[in-house]
Each structure stands twice: as structure tokens, then as C-alpha cells.
Amino acid sequence: MRLLRQLLLCLPLLLLAACTSVPEGITPVRHFQLDRYLGKWYEIARLDHSFERGLSDVSAQYRLQPDGSVEVVNRGYSAEKGAWKEAVGKALMIGDATQGSLKVSFFGPFYGGYHIAALDEHEYRWSLVVGPSRDYLWILSRERHLPPAVREQLLAKAKQLGFDTSRLIWVGQDRPDA
């Protein structure tokens, strides 16, 4: 009985840890520099999820906080509601600070993995981000649109990593007030 109770107490911790883990076969980028990653990123493509469904002109703003955490402000436009939707969260580095792996929370103590699987390491102009499983994928850019060659490069990388790129939603970035 005591063993069962201990297992039940540990199970939520194990589930929370699994939410921040890197999917098997994917290695986050090395030589990552958080200070260069900060700022605004535009969402070019994503796999569908309820928390972003129907949104266009999605962007994320990353700001370093005095305690070393990163404030994350995700913003997108809902044409259905005729309004902007915004979510504010917190990100923390996972493990080695030179590895592109963070955990992000928008809901209190619950964190999800944010792992940078590909990055323009010279200029930090684009990135390919994965979550804790192959159900989460984002292509991000500092500009509203990616050059076709970079887009194809990131699609090829995502396929190589085992993602179904036919399910990607290409996000419109056309609103002048974004």
C-alpha cells in the first residue's frame, strides 16, 4: 500500500517532466545564446493546436527578466472574434545554457518543452522549434516571411526529424497592426 501511495505521488512529477523532454531522435542546437534569441519572432508555420486555432499574424516576444527568466508574450489575431488574443508566460532554460532547450509555462506550475531544433546560428533570423512530442512544431522568423530557400530547408529538416509537414498551417502575416 505504501509503495502504491508513493507511486501515485510521483506520477504527476513524472508526467510534468515528460512535458518538457525532447522528443527521441531530436537534439536541440548547441552554442545557443539566449540574449541573441530575445526579441520578436513571427510564426511562419505551425502544427494545429486549440490554443492557436484560427489565429493569424501570430508573433512571440521574448524579454529577459531580472530573475533570469524570460517573459513570453504570444499574440495572434482572431478574425472570428475581430480581436487580438494574447497570452503571457514564463520561460526557463533547461540544463546547459548553451543548448537551445527551454521550458515554457502559460498555466502556473505546468511547463511544456520548447526545443530549438534548427537555428540560423549566424544572424538568429529563423528557427525551427519543437515541443515535447512530434505533435508540436513551429517555424519562426524575425521577418513576416521567409525566403523560399530557407523555407524549403526548414521543411526538409522537419521531415528528417520525423514530422508530418503536410499538416503544417502556414500562418498569414498580413495585418499592418501586427
Side-chain angles (χ1 to χ4, degrees):
M1 187 60 135
R2 181 178 176 181
L3 179 61
L4 179 61
R5 186 176 313 138
Q6 287 176 336
L7 284 173
L8 290 174
L9 288 173
C10 290
L11 185 60
L13 294 175
L14 292 172
L15 290 174
L16 284 176
C19 291
T20 61
S21 62
V22 182
E24 188 175 330
I26 297 176
T27 302
V29 296
R30 305 257 185 235
H31 311 293
F32 178 72
Q33 297 173 33
L34 178 61
D35 61 322
R36 293 182 66 199
Y37 198 80
L38 298 173
K40 188 170 187 173
W41 289 87
Y42 294 95
E43 186 178 272
I44 304 300
R46 68 173 178 259
L47 290 178
D48 188 32
H49 284 284
S50 61
F51 51 87
E52 289 185 288
R53 190 162 293 137
L55 297 181
S56 68
D57 301 277
V58 178
S59 65
Q61 180 77 37
Y62 302 98
R63 293 184 193 100
L64 189 62
Q65 299 300 295
D67 66 358
S69 68
V70 176
E71 178 189 56
V72 180
V73 180
N74 286 350
R75 185 174 187 246
Y77 187 77
S78 170
E80 178 184 324
K81 294 183 179 177
W84 289 96
K85 180 178 175 184
E86 187 172 279
V88 178
K90 176 180 180 176
L92 301 168
M93 295 297 299
I94 298 176
D96 182 354
T98 64
Q99 183 172 316
S101 204
L102 298 97
K103 60 183 183 178
V104 180
S105 175
F106 291 95
F107 311 106
F110 304 102
Y111 284 86
Y114 182 103
H115 311 288
I116 303 163
L119 176 67
D120 170 15
E121 293 184 21
H122 297 291
E123 298 182 32
Y124 279 54
R125 302 305 302 160
W126 49 260
S127 67
L128 179 72
V129 177
V130 305
S133 74
R134 284 182 173 76
D135 292 326
Y136 298 90
L137 176 72
W138 294 269
I139 295 175
L140 306 177
S141 173
R142 295 290 190 175
E143 305 296 326
R144 291 173 184 254
H145 304 283
L146 276 177
V150 173
R151 179 178 161 150
E152 291 308 312
Q153 173 188 348
L154 292 173
L155 281 173
K157 178 70 173 179
K159 285 180 187 176
Q160 174 199 355
L161 294 174
F163 288 90
D164 179 359
T165 59
S166 70
R167 293 179 36 229
L168 281 173
I169 294 169
W170 296 94
V171 180
Q173 290 288 350
D174 303 315
R175 291 189 60 85
D177 57 344

